[in-house]
Amino acid sequence: MDTKILLDESDIPREWYNVVADMPNPPAPPLGPDGQPVGPEALEAIFPPGVIEQEASAERWITIPDAVREVLRLWRPSPLYRAHRLEQALETPARIFYKNESVSPAGSHKPNTAVAQAFYNRQAGIKRLTTETGAGQWGCALSLAGQLFGLDVRVFMVRVSYEQKPYRRTLMQTWGGEVFASPTDLTESGRKILARDPDTPGSLGIAISEAAEEAAGRADTNYALGSVLNHVLLHQTVIGLEARKQMERIGAYPDEVYAPCGGGSNFGGIAFPFFADKATGREVRLVAVEPTSCPTLTKGLYTYDFGDAIGLTPLLKMFTLGHDFVPPGIHAGGLRYHGDAPLVSQLHEEGLVDAVAIPQLETFQAGVLFARTEGIVPAPESTHAIAAVIRSARECARSGEPRTLLFNLSGHGHFDMAAYERYFAGDLKDFEYPAEAIEKSLAHLPHFGDG
Amino acid sequence: MDTKILLDESDIPREWYNVVADMPNPPAPPLGPDGQPVGPEALEAIFPPGVIEQEASAERWITIPDAVREVLRLWRPSPLYRAHRLEQALETPARIFYKNESVSPAGSHKPNTAVAQAFYNRQAGIKRLTTETGAGQWGCALSLAGQLFGLDVRVFMVRVSYEQKPYRRTLMQTWGGEVFASPTDLTESGRKILARDPDTPGSLGIAISEAAEEAAGRADTNYALGSVLNHVLLHQTVIGLEARKQMERIGAYPDEVYAPCGGGSNFGGIAFPFFADKATGREVRLVAVEPTSCPTLTKGLYTYDFGDAIGLTPLLKMFTLGHDFVPPGIHAGGLRYHGDAPLVSQLHEEGLVDAVAIPQLETFQAGVLFARTEGIVPAPESTHAIAAVIRSARECARSGEPRTLLFNLSGHGHFDMAAYERYFAGDLKDFEYPAEAIEKSLAHLPHFGDG
């Protein structure tokens, strides 16, 4: 059997799949500071009409504009791999497949939505996008997408990452992105923080404030977000739609679908199209994999909380560890979000999506085994899905059950080698479940609208 | 038209193409220290029989073992891209195609030969491979290939690179490679150098000596080389064979084929299969692109010289700047070799292969334009081919001639972002043609066998 299942460019999906149409209950609405549902109009200062419409849509299928499909051709359809060598190493009767999203120029699934968001902003006459980035994956994706649609992109990069990850910064600049160490003196929010603490290392929360402030204050500028919101998950469904078609081509269907889960967009991207089948009675387990050090779905509360760290956004109903929870400094930077996408959270609450938490060392062990069998060095985020798949494949080796497993290889680890270096040097550890910090943070949940 | 032309795994070539069969003259033989031709038996201490046979073969087609094709499936056939967006940016009537060799797990074309060499060594009962690496591309490729064939790989990495490029080192370790900063105290050669100069930054010449010494001294250990020799270029012809088939699929044929040229293996890899057509009268220009700071083909002498810097190897007839020429520290580390593959050199001497030299800043400018139009950030080596293609496409824009241009995108630049960073900071410069250094070095050519 072939190692890769390829599709033609004509097989790039023509419509995104909107899971809202198949959910047993309508999504809980975002709430304003007054505890009342926030309408789409509240988003008009920072998002273009195309995106706002999708954020609130219940239509099952939403047309992908031709201009977006044209850009996706640069790397899509992405290949689906059969992990023959990993299976052999595990001596498992399980069949393991992975969707390789690391083939995008930015090295992850993030450009799938960056391209769509850039398109809708360009369509709305916007000239400039702002965003925040931590480790830099999202800032890279948006810089690339902005460049391809002729939009300027200004990235507020958390200062400590800006200093520690100069190569990601240079990557954004290569695609024309303007990158600033946040906090900056370009915004009111930034200046306030700097006045208080000139040596602050910055935080994602501060960077969001700066990016959103600038977008709200300038008519030619909008804001773009890389995960969590409904439209972002929608754009990522090209992953699962392609994977389903690729498996169909060889007469296979997954018993279990795995993806790393931070804000929820790559999980939703691969899992939701299979949820469509599950909604019609097909048996398929959808498993979100998170770090034990930031166990949002497995240990968090399902309630209303702020999307950002300092409480500027509308309240989202989601699994949360509390908006001021700061997880230990694991290397899977993309999985350190305190909350989770409202759509993923609601499906998890309703028992339709499973979740598992995995400790850091097990994920690196899995990543190294994957690199040594399949060749590709995975991003630390992706190693979470690999570790969960390995657990299941080992169960199959014991039981003899030939499960079909599918996971999303959300990105490569080329810019994360410092993490692997520390792993080989024995400098990485498993963090204890941060029970006390989570308890403390959950005590700060907003006191309204939590029904 | 599609952006990518894909082939199935069944289209991975079944035979390598050996250009020797179609050369107007037989290749000049390597000479020993006595000026007499060296027979294949001289190589038995460090190379396996399969490789030695290929090194001396004049057969046009050489079967690719199934076990090698099985591993190549992990990333081959590599996609051929039509560079629509680059063409638009250049407003050129030229059609630009590129073969994307950056899709291998190691990020370059190097694994094409590493896999074959690992196979033949495994077949010969060898347990261990040694090699040298400068920037680390080749060490990565061999570590990966060794891992996949169950061979231990020991890499002698030039000390200054070992210290400056920790991520490449970690990448090798991720694939199980043992990496040492050369010179080491593991070999006689290393100990000698260290006794003389304990703080030496090392050099490729020293690293070669260490790797070859260890291979020659141990029955279970062989040596593997990443470029220059005939068998290496042979293994790389999968690139051109696939590209020719991909262009055929859409009824296209290149007027000009470009590749960066350091030791000559990626150039030979894409160009030789088109040379087969040229040999039967088809018009196609094959252009090797080198840096002006190391202008081997454009300013060197065609004569016998050592393959390594300190004169341990047999004498190879090639274009050379002198084996002790040390080129300026440009960022395209893979293009800093003093010589060139004997096969490429002979074809260039006979007027069948063209060469062009391009200054460093023009190559980075080309690389950034490529990243901003096509998305992929190219390796500094690959930007040389891109720059030459851009020159030709601009000529077409002026003349209206719709040339079809093909180039080899030999690798991505994910581990070269420090070079881009320096480019954006304005810290890079064009080096003057190092005439004096070359003159001095050419005065040290060996005095025998240069006919």
Side-chain angles (χ1 to χ4, degrees):
Chain A
M1 207 207 92
D2 278 357
T3 295
K4 304 180 291 297
I5 298 112
L6 303 176
L7 297 175
D8 293 326
E9 287 173 28
S10 59
D11 293 315
I12 295 174
R14 291 172 190 278
E15 294 170 312
W16 290 298
Y17 167 69
N18 185 2
V19 75
V20 171
D22 289 318
M23 286 168 68
N25 297 296
L31 303 182
D34 54 359
Q36 294 304 306
V38 164
E41 65 288 353
L43 304 171
E44 279 168 11
I46 56 170
F47 290 129
V51 157
I52 295 174
E53 197 182 309
Q54 292 173 357
E55 188 61 25
S57 171
E59 291 294 315
R60 182 171 283 107
W61 297 102
I62 296 177
T63 301
I64 306 180
D66 283 345
V68 171
R69 292 181 78 246
E70 275 307 307
V71 173
L72 295 181
R73 285 165 180 260
L74 286 174
W75 70 93
R76 301 208 76 85
S78 68
L80 181 82
Y81 276 70
R82 172 83 184 268
H84 290 296
R85 284 179 171 72
L86 178 61
E87 291 171 16
Q88 283 156 21
L90 296 169
E91 298 178 351
T92 179
R95 292 190 300 170
I96 304 177
F97 293 89
Y98 60 97
K99 183 72 169 160
N100 185 358
E101 290 295 308
S102 79
V103 297
S104 82
S108 79
H109 65 291
K110 294 280 184 189
N112 295 329
T113 182
V115 166
Q117 293 189 50
F119 167 79
Y120 288 113
N121 277 291
R122 171 70 187 231
Q123 191 189 43
I126 289 296
K127 305 272 181 256
R128 220 150 138 273
L129 292 175
T130 63
T131 198
E132 73 289 336
T133 202
Q137 285 270 24
W138 170 242
C140 285
L142 196 68
S143 297
L144 169 64
Q147 178 65 234
L148 294 172
F149 282 101
L151 295 168
D152 292 338
V153 173
R154 177 168 280 195
V155 182
F156 293 90
M157 186 173 188
V158 177
R159 186 194 274 178
V160 59
S161 296
Y162 182 91
E163 281 159 9
Q164 282 174 359
K165 306 204 177 209
Y167 299 149
R168 279 252 176 237
R169 188 208 320 160
T170 307
L171 199 52
M172 290 183 248
Q173 290 168 337
T174 304
W175 287 312
E178 236 189 335
V179 190
F180 297 96
S182 166
T184 70
D185 57 5
L186 299 168
T187 67
E188 193 58 39
S189 317
R191 285 188 295 269
K192 252 187 218 161
I193 304 273
L194 286 173
R196 217 186 306 156
D197 178 6
D199 297 325
T200 174
S203 76
L204 212 52
I206 298 169
I208 293 177
S209 307
E210 291 204 79
E213 178 190 322
E214 190 162 306
R218 293 180 57 148
D220 66 348
T221 302
N222 265 345
Y223 170 71
L225 192 74
S227 193
V228 182
L229 297 182
N230 302 359
H231 68 275
V232 181
L233 276 62
L234 176 79
H235 300 155
Q236 293 293 357
T237 57
V238 291
I239 303 173
L241 292 168
E242 287 179 6
R244 204 169 52 166
K245 186 179 276 191
Q246 284 161 316
M247 296 197 72
E248 234 172 66
R249 285 274 164 95
I250 53 160
Y253 193 87
D255 297 305
E256 301 170 0
V257 179
Y258 294 85
C261 195
S265 79
N266 94 77
F267 173 75
I270 195 163
F272 286 175
F274 291 96
F275 180 82
D277 300 335
K278 194 180 173 88
T280 64
R282 183 135 200 181
E283 265 194 55
V284 50
R285 241 189 108 205
L286 309 174
V287 189
V289 191
E290 58 186 20
T292 45
S293 55
C294 188
T296 320
L297 293 171
T298 51
K299 303 271 188 182
L301 283 186
Y302 182 58
T303 183
Y304 273 102
D305 195 5
F306 295 112
D308 67 324
I310 42 180
L312 296 178
T313 70
L315 290 158
L316 303 172
K317 189 154 189 192
M318 60 182 177
F319 277 88
T320 179
L321 299 168
H323 60 274
D324 55 9
F325 171 67
V326 178
I330 57 163
H331 282 278
L335 306 184
R336 293 178 72 241
Y337 185 58
H338 70 274
D340 217 310
L343 294 179
V344 172
S345 294
Q346 185 163 328
L347 290 172
H348 180 53
E349 173 70 9
E350 291 171 351
L352 297 167
V353 154
D354 292 335
V356 59
I358 299 203
Q360 177 161 262
L361 289 178
E362 184 179 341
T363 68
F364 273 93
Q365 212 169 22
V368 171
L369 178 61
F370 186 79
R372 289 184 180 178
T373 50
E374 296 294 312
I376 300 166
V377 177
E381 291 80 4
S382 310
T383 63
H384 285 71
I386 299 171
V389 162
I390 289 175
R391 283 187 183 183
S392 179
R394 290 208 160 115
E395 279 172 27
C396 293
R398 283 189 291 271
S399 68
E401 194 190 344
R403 286 180 209 159
T404 299
L405 312 176
L406 167 66
F407 74 93
N408 194 22
L409 184 75
S410 55
H412 62 61
H414 299 173
F415 293 91
D416 302 287
M417 293 316 296
Y420 280 90
E421 190 179 14
R422 293 196 57 205
Y423 171 70
F424 289 122
D427 290 343
L428 291 193
K429 54 175 186 173
D430 285 336
F431 291 95
E432 295 294 308
Y433 163 58
E436 207 173 307
I438 291 175
E439 202 178 316
K440 197 170 141 197
S441 168
L442 287 176
H444 299 162
L445 283 175
H447 288 298
F448 45 97
D450 57 350
Chain B
M1 208 206 92
D2 277 358
T3 295
K4 304 180 292 298
I5 298 112
L6 303 177
L7 297 175
D8 293 327
E9 287 173 27
S10 58
D11 294 316
I12 295 174
R14 291 173 191 278
E15 295 170 311
W16 290 299
Y17 167 68
N18 185 1
V19 74
V20 171
D22 290 317
M23 286 168 68
N25 298 296
L31 303 182
D34 54 359
Q36 294 304 307
V38 165
E41 63 289 353
L43 305 171
E44 280 167 10
I46 55 170
F47 291 129
V51 158
I52 296 173
E53 198 182 306
Q54 292 174 356
E55 189 60 24
S57 172
E59 291 296 314
R60 183 172 283 107
W61 297 102
I62 296 178
T63 301
I64 305 179
D66 284 343
V68 172
R69 292 181 78 246
E70 276 307 307
V71 174
L72 295 182
R73 285 165 180 259
L74 286 174
W75 70 93
R76 303 208 73 86
S78 68
L80 181 81
Y81 276 70
R82 171 84 184 268
H84 290 297
R85 284 181 170 72
L86 178 61
E87 291 172 15
Q88 284 156 20
L90 296 169
E91 299 179 350
T92 179
R95 292 190 300 170
I96 304 177
F97 294 89
Y98 61 96
K99 183 71 169 159
N100 185 358
E101 290 296 307
S102 79
V103 297
S104 83
S108 79
H109 65 292
K110 294 280 185 191
N112 295 329
T113 182
V115 165
Q117 293 189 51
F119 167 79
Y120 288 114
N121 277 290
R122 171 71 187 231
Q123 191 188 43
I126 288 297
K127 304 274 181 255
R128 222 150 137 274
L129 293 175
T130 62
T131 199
E132 74 289 335
T133 202
Q137 285 269 24
W138 170 241
C140 285
L142 196 68
S143 296
L144 169 64
Q147 179 65 235
L148 295 172
F149 282 101
L151 295 168
D152 291 338
V153 173
R154 179 168 279 195
V155 182
F156 293 90
M157 186 174 188
V158 176
R159 185 192 274 177
V160 58
S161 296
Y162 182 92
E163 282 160 7
Q164 282 174 359
K165 305 205 176 205
Y167 299 148
R168 278 252 176 235
R169 189 209 319 160
T170 307
L171 198 52
M172 290 182 248
Q173 288 167 338
T174 304
W175 288 312
E178 235 189 336
V179 190
F180 297 97
S182 165
T184 71
D185 57 6
L186 299 169
T187 68
E188 194 58 39
S189 317
R191 286 189 295 270
K192 253 189 220 163
I193 304 272
L194 285 173
R196 218 185 307 155
D197 179 6
D199 297 324
T200 174
S203 76
L204 211 52
I206 298 168
I208 293 177
S209 307
E210 293 203 77
E213 178 190 320
E214 190 161 307
R218 293 180 58 147
D220 67 348
T221 302
N222 265 344
Y223 169 72
L225 192 75
S227 193
V228 181
L229 297 182
N230 301 359
H231 68 275
V232 182
L233 275 61
L234 176 78
H235 300 156
Q236 293 293 356
T237 57
V238 291
I239 304 172
L241 292 167
E242 286 178 8
R244 204 171 52 166
K245 186 180 275 190
Q246 284 162 313
M247 295 196 73
E248 234 172 68
R249 285 276 163 94
I250 53 160
Y253 193 87
D255 298 304
E256 301 170 359
V257 178
Y258 293 85
C261 194
S265 79
N266 94 77
F267 173 74
I270 195 164
F272 286 175
F274 292 96
F275 181 81
D277 300 335
K278 195 180 173 88
T280 65
R282 183 136 202 182
E283 266 194 55
V284 50
R285 241 188 109 205
L286 309 174
V287 188
V289 191
E290 59 186 19
T292 46
S293 54
C294 189
T296 319
L297 293 171
T298 51
K299 303 270 188 183
L301 283 185
Y302 182 58
T303 183
Y304 273 100
D305 195 4
F306 295 112
D308 67 323
I310 42 181
L312 296 178
T313 70
L315 291 157
L316 303 173
K317 190 156 187 190
M318 59 182 178
F319 276 88
T320 179
L321 299 169
H323 60 274
D324 55 9
F325 171 67
V326 177
I330 57 162
H331 282 277
L335 306 184
R336 292 178 72 242
Y337 185 58
H338 70 273
D340 217 310
L343 294 179
V344 172
S345 294
Q346 184 162 329
L347 290 172
H348 180 54
E349 173 70 7
E350 291 171 350
L352 298 166
V353 154
D354 293 334
V356 59
I358 299 203
Q360 175 160 263
L361 289 178
E362 184 179 341
T363 67
F364 273 92
Q365 211 170 21
V368 171
L369 178 61
F370 186 78
R372 292 185 179 177
T373 50
E374 297 294 312
I376 301 166
V377 177
E381 290 80 5
S382 309
T383 62
H384 285 71
I386 299 170
V389 161
I390 289 175
R391 284 187 183 182
S392 179
R394 289 207 160 116
E395 277 171 29
C396 293
R398 283 188 293 270
S399 69
E401 195 190 344
R403 287 182 208 156
T404 299
L405 311 177
L406 167 66
F407 73 93
N408 194 22
L409 185 75
S410 55
H412 62 60
H414 299 173
F415 293 91
D416 301 287
M417 294 315 297
Y420 280 91
E421 190 179 15
R422 293 196 58 205
Y423 171 70
F424 289 122
D427 290 344
L428 291 192
K429 55 175 185 171
D430 285 336
F431 291 95
E432 296 293 308
Y433 162 57
E436 207 174 305
I438 291 174
E439 202 179 315
K440 197 172 140 196
S441 168
L442 287 176
H444 299 163
L445 282 176
H447 287 299
F448 45 97
D450 57 350

